[in-house]
Amino acid sequence: MRWTIPGMIMVLLASLLSVAVYYRHQYQQSEQALQKAVLELVQHQVSLKQLRQKIKTVSQLDAQHTKALEHNKNLVAQLERDVADGRRRLRVQGNLSRPVHQYHPLRRG
């Protein structure tokens, strides 16, 4: 009976120690998972920032080209109206290296 109380205390201390080691290990794994998640989050934020910048650049280019296209369409329409009204003349000059019949769309060859 003398050895049972110290033996029980030893078993209890060993159990507490093993529980402490187990939870410490779980805590370290959780910390590593948290650090990994934070690193991935930062990487995703950087990627999103770069994508937003690219989208902004593409949007600016699109607006610029759309504006130029609209201007050119208006210019063509104005020239067509001027030609139709007789205010301007249209001159077309072209050089063909082959006879015209070879360019017929239904002919092969």
Side-chain angles (χ1 to χ4, degrees), residues 7-53:
M8 290 174 71
I9 292 174
M10 293 292 273
V11 169
L12 182 62
L13 287 176
S15 298
L16 287 174
L17 181 63
S18 64
V19 168
V21 167
Y22 171 77
Y23 282 112
R24 182 174 183 270
H25 179 69
Q26 292 295 325
Y27 174 76
Q28 287 175 341
Q29 284 183 337
S30 297
E31 281 291 318
Q32 289 174 352
L34 177 64
Q35 288 174 356
K36 183 179 177 184
V38 168
L39 179 63
E40 288 177 2
L41 176 65
V42 169
Q43 289 173 345
H44 288 300
Q45 286 174 338
V46 168
S47 296
L48 282 174
K49 186 176 181 180
Q50 290 173 348
L51 283 174
R52 285 186 183 123
Q53 182 62 36

